[in-house]
Amino acid sequence: MRHLWKSAIARNMIGGFLIVLLPLAATYWYTNAASMNAVREEVVASSSKSLLLLTSQLESTLGKFENLTYSLASDSELNAVNQAPYETEHLWAYVQQLRQLQFYSNTADLEGDITIYLRNKNRRLSSKAGFGPIEQDAPGFVGDIAVADKKWFFRVKPGGGSQPLSPQEREQRTVLTFARGSGVQSDNGVVVSVDIPIAQLRPRMEALQSRERGTAFIFGEGAEELFSAQTNADLSPLQAVIAGKTENTGRFTYSRKGEDSIVLFDKSAGSGLTLGMLFPEKQIMKPIHRIRAWTIGVLCGSVALGLLYTLFAYRKLLRPVLVLVEAMGKVRLGRLKTRIPHPPANEFGYVYTQFNNMADEIDTLVNEIYVERLNQQQAQLKLLQSQINPHFLYNCLNFIYQMSMGENNEAAANMSLYLSKYFRYATKSDAHYVSLRQELDNIEAYIQIQRLRFSGRITFSIDIPDALLVTAIPRLTLQPLVENAFVHGIESGDGSPKHIAIRGFREADFIHLTVEDDGKGMEPDELERLQKSLETMNHEDFGCGLNNTHWRLALRYGPGAGLRLEQRHPRGLTVHILIPAKEERTHVQSADS
């Protein structure tokens, strides 16, 4: 896999695959968000319609009960019975009224208990309990009913004991009540009430909840006790929030236990009841989330398949290409024995075979050219040896003669010693490479000759690390440069003391040697022409000393090796010699042998 990421082709394949996949993923996320909003609005709209329909149906049914209570509370016959002095004379009227109440209670959409309280007679007529006295524990609202209409409200009917009611018993005794008085401003008039058990409302809320997959609830005016179709739902905080809203119909987001839910509510202006639905967002969006999970899975699977395909293509197509590229790189670096073993039995096998054949031919040609160049170098070296300046030799012999005539035998002896060392080194033809230390020893003999000639007006310094002194270089590499510094920079100068410095250091893959003088130097245009003559091996303007040295290094070591000229400040010239450091071991072995 590491090689896969290093492959530019593999990265381009994966990048192209992702470029195609990303717009699809972005389109999906956009459509998914739009779908979620559309589904949310569709669910809310459908639930709102169902909620309004249930509210309308409930108001219609409750309105019938309200009309009945108005009719009975203002019935003149009932009021007359309530005020009659003798109860037995009106017993038949009680019975007839009781039958009517039972018939209406049984045929209504909601089964409710319709009760007529004859407070003057301390009697009541109930569609459920029948005819009997008003009990001592009768609801307190009977004594409070006067002319004013009451809204529907929830209340808990009194039980038979003094023990607290359990939640189940309390719900069983909870009824939705509407009461109406006869209008008599006294405590002995007629009161008519309708009690609808909460159990009669729960099936309708459960049907709404089952159809819309939410939690239906209802509560009365003034944030009375809330009842929901889901018995274990804790919606008490929600009740106060809805009661505090001024609008009659609306929706809002409600957070409960870290989950967001959508709440719809509808307040009935007639009955004073509030019906609502609560939808957890997670529940509404469950199908969308399922589709999104599948889509994400498909996208991830597509990415995985894309990577697997790229890996497969890498193994079948890219790896053979990389093997070929690696082999070509080795050949480019000079490792001409590189071959690709075991060519496969496909198109790449033909390419590998052709590469191996090409490498064989290159190896053969390079060997032939290399031998030819070596022969050329030997011829150039012999030419260089034959070009020793005869004027230099004449001057040295004349110096010896003059010293001998002047009986300065020590100077004549030293000149003879250094001159013999110099010519023995320069004319030695069996050593093509020498150590840098040997080359410097020859340079020192040459410098001593010149110092004798110029009566000590020349100083000389060497600054080269000991580790580089064993480096092998072609023989007579530095000598032409030092001689050139004398002839063109010092000997033709103004006669003032001069200094020649040789320095060496290793930097990156090259060994740098410099020969500096503080002679008259060169003009910039002349220096530029000299540098160009080195590149073209032109001997016409500047002779062959520098050119021979440059091309011997360039032919032996390849591109990057050779001479570089630089103007020295404030005056003089600096010649840089560059030799590849990787050749050092081979050269040392050649010199030692």
Side-chain angles (χ1 to χ4, degrees), residues 562-574:
L563 304 184
R564 305 291 184 271
L565 306 180
E566 180 183 2
Q567 190 72 36
R568 185 178 180 274
H569 297 287
R571 61 181 182 176
L573 187 69
T574 300

Side-chain angles (χ1 to χ4, degrees), residues 188-355:
N188 60 356
V190 176
V191 173
V192 181
S193 70
V194 178
D195 295 329
I196 301 176
I198 190 64
Q200 290 289 314
L201 299 176
R202 189 177 295 280
R204 297 198 177 198
M205 292 191 295
E206 289 176 350
L208 177 63
Q209 176 173 290
S210 176
R211 184 169 61 252
E212 301 298 338
R213 293 177 297 179
T215 302
F217 58 86
I218 184 173
F219 62 89
E221 193 175 49
E224 299 175 358
E225 188 171 3
L226 183 144
F227 300 94
S228 66
Q230 186 177 346
T231 56
N232 58 349
D234 182 16
L235 303 179
S236 301
L238 180 62
Q239 177 182 353
V241 175
I242 297 177
K245 292 188 175 295
T246 58
E247 61 269 27
N248 292 329
T249 302
R251 55 177 281 192
F252 60 91
T253 301
Y254 174 67
S255 296
R256 180 181 62 168
K257 297 180 180 179
E259 295 184 359
D260 290 340
S261 301
I262 298 176
V263 178
L264 306 176
F265 67 91
D266 184 29
K267 296 180 181 179
S268 173
S271 64
L273 299 177
T274 298
L275 276 79
M277 289 283 293
L278 180 140
F279 305 92
E281 288 243 12
K282 184 183 296 184
Q283 178 178 322
I284 297 176
M285 299 302 159
K286 189 174 182 179
I288 300 296
H289 290 322
R290 186 181 299 112
I291 295 175
R292 182 169 66 178
W294 275 100
T295 306
I296 293 175
V298 171
L299 291 176
C300 294
S302 300
V303 173
L305 289 177
L307 293 176
L308 290 176
Y309 171 75
T310 304
L311 182 60
F312 173 80
Y314 169 75
R315 291 183 178 275
K316 295 297 182 181
L317 300 176
L318 300 182
R319 178 178 289 179
V321 173
L322 294 179
V323 171
L324 181 61
V325 171
E326 183 180 0
M328 294 175 66
K330 291 179 180 178
V331 172
R332 183 180 63 84
L333 294 175
R335 299 164 63 180
L336 301 181
K337 299 298 182 182
T338 300
R339 301 293 184 271
I340 302 178
H342 312 299
N346 53 26
E347 291 80 359
F348 285 105
Y350 175 77
V351 176
Y352 287 179
T353 301
Q354 295 302 315
F355 170 81

Side-chain angles (χ1 to χ4, degrees), residues 479-491:
Q479 187 272 339
L481 307 182
V482 176
E483 182 177 352
N484 190 74
F486 269 102
V487 174
H488 298 286
I490 296 177
E491 191 173 2

Side-chain angles (χ1 to χ4, degrees), residues 578-592:
L578 279 73
I579 299 176
K582 64 181 180 180
E583 301 288 343
E584 177 182 347
R585 179 179 296 274
T586 303
H587 292 167
V588 171
Q589 292 175 350
S590 300
D592 293 341

Side-chain angles (χ1 to χ4, degrees), residues 10 21 69 89-90 113 124 192 217 244 263 315 397 404 415:
L21 189 63
T69 58
E89 296 177 358
H90 303 281
D113 184 9
R124 55 127 174 90
V192 181
F217 58 86
V263 178
R315 291 183 178 275
L397 293 176
S404 299
M415 174 63 78

